[in-house]
Amino acid sequence: MSAKILSGKEFAAQIKESAKLEVEELKNKFNVTPGLAVIIVGENPASQVYVRNKHKTCEELGINSEVVAMSESTTKDELLAKIDELNADKNIHGILVQLPLPDAIKSHSEEILNRIDPLKDVDGFHPMNVGKLVTGSPALVPCTPAGCIEMLDLAGIEIDGKRAVIIGRSNIVGKPMLHLLMARHATVTVCHSHTKNLAEVTREADILVAAMGKPKFVTADMIKPGATVIDVGINRIAPKKLVGDVDFENAVEVAGAITPVPGGVGLLTVAMLMKNVVKAVKFQLEEKNS
Ligand code: NDP
């Protein structure tokens, strides 16, 4: 039996449609046009593609998008000053700094990201938002794991009471995924590079999230028959060939539902960013009225 393919394109289109309606509502009700500023430092070609995508999606949805392109030689202080300026700009509701930063300032990434006003932190990386996620308060949540939850909901896949296993414990994917799934009443196990007998653990999962960055690492025998498999991995194995962390061709015969790579979770991330910009506007309106 072949698994249901969870198409990122289809779910991303639904998420963007709902964000577009919210953007229109914000314009009509509050006379606010959401604004996103994306700071890109240097010439990293992959980053330039991601930033172009974000800009294009904003335009599609009626969100004002400002791309702040800064030279490779930008200093930490210059970047912090730019963030301060955007923090104070009333027309900008969301700010993100495209990673990775150039080598010369990479070691300051944390300080730089923490300078973003938490209410404008649409990547959800600020410790204030991380803390709120952990304690279950309304927060801006990292787009990739938030997109996975949104997809499960749209696909009608139950989370409550399920066994979920996440492979990967990064701050961007694994850890927020843990809190999002736990908040939805899944019983969650997080695996990492020190986990013993990984396959034994993954075979218990009703929902298996692979976020490790290892091409085709998760093989069919690691998957419980009928499980939902979410492949977050993006691995370039040849100039024009991307694969996920899951051995899709074989896994598809065992899983109940599975995301492909490409065409899966990656597409949800940008769509969720748009949702986060809308959420940021709402938080800022609440703050102004409180
Ligand atoms: P990191 O490299 O930050 O984290 C990888 C995690 O996987 C670590 O926790 C690591 O464990 C764990 N891991 C590595 N090898 C093994 C192993 N053999 N067994 C068990 N666990 C292992 O990666 P990210 O979380 O940033 O990204 C993960 C993948 O998701 C990458 O392919 C990335 O490109 C992709 N990604 C996709 C996005 C999208 O939009 N779809 C967005 C973000 C990421 P340990 O902590 O012990 O080192």
Side-chain angles (χ1 to χ4, degrees):
M1 203 188 73
S2 206
K4 178 176 192 257
I5 309 297
L6 301 169
S7 152
K9 198 170 169 192
E10 183 190 320
F11 295 117
Q14 291 181 47
I15 296 168
K16 283 194 278 183
E17 191 50 40
S18 125
K20 192 174 178 186
L21 293 175
E22 288 182 278
V23 168
E24 278 163 18
E25 198 186 354
L26 286 171
K27 286 184 186 171
N28 295 336
K29 267 200 192 156
F30 302 100
N31 201 23
V32 175
T33 301
L36 171 69
V38 178
I39 304 176
I40 175 165
V41 186
E43 310 279 322
N44 182 313
S47 293
Q48 285 176 334
V49 173
Y50 292 139
V51 170
R52 261 202 306 278
N53 258 336
K54 289 168 186 172
H55 180 67
K56 206 175 109 232
T57 312
C58 281
E59 286 194 328
E60 270 172 42
L61 270 54
I63 293 174
N64 284 337
S65 157
E66 186 180 325
V67 176
V68 182
M70 302 181 81
S71 77
E72 185 85 23
S73 60
T74 301
T75 63
K76 179 189 86 172
D77 288 340
E78 283 165 346
L79 184 48
L80 290 175
K82 178 48 84 178
I83 293 172
D84 288 343
E85 193 187 301
L86 294 166
N87 279 341
D89 186 336
K90 301 253 173 316
N91 294 316
I92 294 295
H93 305 90
I95 303 169
L96 71 84
V97 177
Q98 188 65 44
L99 299 176
L101 287 168
D103 287 343
I105 53 171
K106 208 178 206 156
S107 61
H108 302 291
S109 295
E110 198 176 333
E111 181 186 353
I112 289 164
L113 295 181
N114 290 356
R115 189 71 157 241
I116 297 173
D117 178 344
L119 288 174
K120 297 190 176 187
D121 166 40
V122 283
D123 260 339
F125 296 158
H126 193 285
M128 186 86 94
N129 281 313
V130 175
K132 286 183 172 174
L133 172 62
V134 173
T135 54
S137 304
L140 291 164
V141 175
C143 300
T144 302
C148 294
I149 299 288
E150 195 85 7
M151 179 189 67
L152 289 172
D153 285 343
L154 289 169
I157 294 170
E158 181 77 45
I159 302 173
D160 196 323
K162 293 290 164 68
R163 273 301 301 267
V165 174
I166 304 163
I167 316 177
R169 56 175 164 181
S170 71
N171 291 334
I172 296 174
V173 187
K175 285 181 197 157
M177 196 75 215
L178 157 69
H179 293 291
L180 289 170
L181 285 166
M182 195 161 52
R184 295 291 298 274
H185 313 298
T187 302
V188 192
T189 304
V190 180
C191 303
H192 43 76
S193 65
H194 294 237
T195 299
K196 303 266 194 296
N197 304 322
L198 183 65
E200 258 174 43
V201 184
T202 59
R203 274 198 295 269
E204 290 182 0
D206 302 309
I207 298 170
L208 178 60
V209 181
M212 56 201 305
K214 295 264 153 50
K216 299 189 179 190
F217 188 96
V218 178
T219 45
D221 61 312
M222 296 169 75
I223 299 168
K224 174 175 166 178
T228 297
V229 179
I230 303 178
D231 190 353
V232 179
I234 301 178
N235 308 288
R236 191 171 292 281
I237 56 167
K240 290 199 167 160
K241 175 92 175 141
L242 290 182
V243 296
D245 288 351
V246 177
D247 176 16
F248 182 85
E249 284 74 20
N250 296 308
V252 76
E253 299 300 330
V254 181
I258 186 166
T259 60
V261 178
V265 172
L267 298 173
L268 301 174
T269 302
V270 179
M272 281 313 288
L273 174 65
M274 302 300 123
K275 278 280 208 185
N276 265 0
V277 176
V278 168
K279 202 173 180 186
V281 174
K282 291 182 176 171
F283 285 162
Q284 286 159 51
L285 286 171
E286 275 169 24
E287 171 95 350
K288 212 166 104 184
N289 297 327
S290 66

